Amino acid sequence: MFMLAGLQTLIGGGAAASGGATAAAAGATAAASTGISISSILQGVATVGGLAASVAAGRAEKEANQLRALEADAEQPLENLQGISRRRSLKAAALEAIGEQDVAYAGSGVDLSTGTAAQARRDAYGELDLGLASDSGTTMTRLSRLSERASSYRRMGKRALSLGILNGLTGVASSASRYFDRG
């Protein structure tokens, strides 16, 4: 506006330019009297930018935690399959050991259905049952920990978003307070 007024003066629209310059000066005086200034406008823009950045950071943290939760969820089927594989290996090893034991007893002429041979077989099956139960418990514990980890990541994500919004609103309130304190 000021440049246009100066340009009109140079070209020769003296009265019109004089009136335009007077109107521009009056407008600037009115803006200054209401407390609006370039620094106030910039502070407002910075405040809104801070709010947006804080919310965006909260959202980004929430998304990162959601991805971690999905990874923990995805590990659960794998852990279950690994548990099944471990139990199969335990069974195979135990059955092989029992078979070798039976061959050794049979080779020495001992009746496999009674006495020491039968007791050794019962003990081997007991150890197998204990090993399988232990591995099942380990698998269940690992699955439970993965599930809890996923839930924890989801809670952390919700908190991060809430905290981002709260920080942004706190920044807005702080800026508004400083603005009104300047009076």
Side-chain angles (χ1 to χ4, degrees), residues 40-128:
S40 295
I41 292 169
L42 290 175
Q43 183 179 5
V45 169
T47 299
V48 170
L51 171 64
S54 184
V55 171
R59 278 194 181 132
E61 184 66 26
K62 180 181 180 182
E63 288 175 11
N65 282 317
Q66 290 289 22
L67 288 175
R68 290 181 192 114
L70 290 174
E71 287 173 4
D73 286 338
E75 285 181 43
Q76 290 179 22
L78 178 63
E79 179 59 43
N80 200 22
L81 289 175
Q82 288 174 343
I84 290 169
S85 177
R86 285 190 305 268
R87 288 188 294 280
R88 278 193 183 146
S89 294
L90 274 172
K91 285 179 189 176
L95 292 177
E96 186 176 325
I98 291 169
E100 289 173 3
Q101 195 176 45
D102 285 349
V103 167
Y105 280 120
S108 64
V110 175
D111 182 12
L112 298 177
S113 60
T114 61
T116 306
Q119 184 60 43
R121 179 180 269 191
R122 280 192 296 274
D123 290 345
Y125 279 117
E127 286 180 33
L128 173 61

